[in-house]
Amino acid sequence: MSDGSFTVGAAVLWGTIAKDARDRILANVFCVKCRESVEIVRFTGEVENGDVILKGACAPCGHAIVRVVETSERDSSMN
Ligand SMILES: [Zn+2]
């Protein structure tokens, strides 16, 4: 992990996502100020309800943005 800081659990879940998918997620976070999808920078990662929560800043304007990465849906077949 070179960007920001992840909790151990978040790092494990984040690591299960393919790199190209992760890059796509990081480059497409909605910013309410820019009103469009932007790149998230200076982000941290934590786990909430089995999903990874990325908290960081909008690359163009610096507004705080959050992206929920729904990793928990991968295990829905176990229900
Ligand atoms: Zn923005």
Side-chain angles (χ1 to χ4, degrees):
M1 288 303 148
S2 57
D3 293 294
S5 59
F6 278 57
T7 63
V8 174
V12 170
L13 277 176
W14 186 239
T16 65
I17 301 171
K19 189 180 185 306
D20 61 336
R22 284 183 290 178
D23 288 345
R24 210 177 316 132
I25 289 167
L26 295 177
N28 293 280
V29 181
F30 189 79
C31 174
V32 295
K33 276 203 164 183
C34 298
R35 295 174 183 270
E36 64 181 359
S37 292
V38 299
E39 181 184 0
I40 187 172
V41 295
R42 299 193 299 278
F43 56 87
T44 60
E46 55 192 75
V47 179
E48 199 171 293
N49 298 322
D51 296 326
V52 176
I53 313 295
L54 300 176
K55 295 178 180 178
C58 166
C61 81
H63 189 68
I65 53 178
V66 176
R67 171 68 190 246
V68 177
V69 184
E70 295 184 346
T71 52
S72 58
E73 68 189 15
R74 288 162 167 263
D75 299 320
S76 59
S77 61
M78 293 172 70
N79 291 331

